[in-house]
Amino acid sequence: MRTGESLLRRQSAELSDDDCSTLHDHCGAGRQHLTAAATAALPDLLRLAASPGGARVTLVDLIGTLAQQARTVPPEAVDPGWPAAWERHRAEAEALLADPDRAVRYAALGLTPTPAKLLERWRAEEDATVRHRLLPTLTAAAAETAWEPEVVALLHGLLLDDDPVLRLAAVQAWAAIDPAAPARHVDLMADALADPANRPAIAVRGTEPGEDTTYAFEASVDHSLLLLLEQTDDPATATRFVIRLADGSGGAEDSVLRRCVLDQAWRLLVERRSAAPSLVPLAAARLADRDPTVRVRAAHLLAMLGTRSAPYADELAALLDDTGEDELLEGTIAEHARWALARIGDVRALPGLVESLYEPYRDQYVRGYVLGDPRRPEISDVLIPLRAHAPALLPSLRAALRHDMRNGEVGASLAGEFCRVLEAWGPAALPAGRTAAAGRHWPLPDRGRRAGGHG
């Protein structure tokens, strides 16, 4: 096996992916300290990155990782020789900003160039994808130096550019210098993102050269809302952004923007509950959308909004047989519509509710989800508030307790969920509690009897 030292003496064209991985480990990239090995390797890494070969972008990324490490780990964890070595070789690193290969130029933006070099590159750069990444790199560097006024003047000029995607990028980048800038230009951001004609350019420019552009547009929308949420606790501006996006989504030929709008509405609701009144009609307007991935988000959002969604109970009830879904999210449209009706308190949710909640677990279903995504509710969260409807729900609940609860950990976990419901229901649940305790040997707390005898 080649060692890191021997690899550093080779040519870039001779390095494989495994070789680059070995160099990564040899230099200690990604650790909580910067080693003497990284300092010693820097000249050879820069030589390899500047010479012909397929590994150049990987090598530039490695150098960038080390440079960022030197800035972010505690000063005492940085090899004493690194700062002087970096200054000696800074010109070689910054020369990569003007490399003929745009992928190398793109990667070189991670080498912590000075604002002066970045401004110089901005004036010379013609590739839109490199410029798109160059702009936030420049504003971040300017925020730490005396170059801020010159960069702000540049941003002001870009807001007058004919290119709406460049104007959007300027506002997003401006947040590094002035966090209030996105709020001042919220309509500009929303209008640029809502226009379908801009979507291909947003996707391509927002993606590293050669990488998949599929989710780049959604990422830009996410980033815009995040900038607005970080700026203030007042949800009004972020709400305006989501509503303005929604206003531009009705005529879209595809569902990408409509889906994005509901994703952003969901995130806004999670972060700022006071935005709820404005989001109810926005979600309700998409319950009949032709795309099931939009309908499932709309039903889920109305479920989260609870009793505020009551004016749309009939529209939700019309979805109780809708089996559409989004394969990346949990639950069908019908499941989320039933949950929404349950939260409203509409009795149309009751038939089949327990079965709907239990069905995914029949075949040893194990939940796998990202906490930041919409998902099915917990069984107890749905049923506990429905104590007034316990007589109607108890037969189904008893059947669920009897049904194949010997499914190992899944069955035990479900039994615990149902028992929490029965305990919360109190005396109204005693018939089911006795059935469960007698049939399955799971002790069920009986508040009535502990308190001195009800039933």
Side-chain angles (χ1 to χ4, degrees), residues 132-358:
H132 195 85
R133 187 184 179 190
L134 201 163
L135 200 52
T137 305
L138 173 57
T139 54
E144 301 177 3
T145 66
W147 286 85
E148 187 174 312
E150 188 167 350
V151 174
V152 168
L154 169 66
L155 294 171
H156 274 295
L158 293 179
L159 292 185
L160 303 176
D161 197 274
D162 292 336
D163 183 348
V165 179
L166 182 56
R167 295 198 300 269
L168 170 66
V171 174
Q172 291 174 332
W174 206 330
I177 296 174
D178 179 5
R184 290 199 305 272
H185 301 287
V186 62
D187 292 345
L188 182 156
M189 289 199 302
D191 291 347
L193 290 163
D195 188 343
N198 297 333
R199 194 173 305 156
I202 292 171
V204 171
R205 296 184 200 179
T207 307
E208 185 172 345
E211 296 297 318
D212 184 10
T213 64
T214 302
Y215 297 107
F217 172 74
E218 290 91 331
S220 185
V221 180
D222 286 347
H223 181 53
S224 299
L225 181 67
L226 180 61
L227 292 174
L228 295 169
L229 290 172
E230 287 179 341
Q231 187 252 333
T232 176
D233 288 333
D234 178 9
T237 304
T239 303
R240 178 184 176 90
F241 172 75
V242 173
I243 291 175
R244 198 168 179 101
L245 275 182
D247 289 344
S249 68
E253 290 300 319
D254 62 282
S255 59
V256 172
L257 183 57
R258 300 196 302 278
R259 191 164 55 241
C260 264
V261 166
L262 291 173
D263 284 340
Q264 299 316 310
W266 183 86
R267 289 182 175 86
L268 178 57
L269 183 64
V270 169
E271 294 288 338
R272 304 286 189 271
R273 295 293 295 182
S274 58
S278 300
L279 302 180
V280 175
L282 185 153
R286 293 302 170 201
L287 285 175
D289 196 277
R290 60 183 177 273
D291 188 320
T293 68
V294 176
R295 296 198 303 278
V296 72
R297 285 166 167 80
H300 178 87
L301 187 55
L302 287 175
M304 287 186 62
L305 288 161
T307 55
R308 293 181 186 275
S309 303
Y312 303 99
D314 289 344
E315 289 87 342
L316 287 163
L319 298 176
L320 289 176
D321 294 320
D322 191 332
T323 58
E325 61 184 341
D326 183 325
E327 63 180 10
L328 299 180
L329 301 178
E330 282 193 333
T332 64
I333 296 164
E335 287 179 276
H336 289 290
R338 195 179 300 279
W339 176 34
L341 289 171
R343 294 207 68 201
I344 291 169
D346 192 301
V347 295
R348 286 174 287 187
L350 301 183
L353 177 61
V354 174
E355 292 86 348
S356 171
L357 294 169
Y358 173 63

Side-chain angles (χ1 to χ4, degrees), residues 97 105 120-128 130-131 134:
L97 290 168
R105 298 199 306 277
E120 177 184 313
R121 188 66 232 157
W122 175 264
R123 295 175 183 125
E125 184 59 57
E126 296 181 353
D127 184 88
V130 178
R131 282 166 67 85
L134 201 163

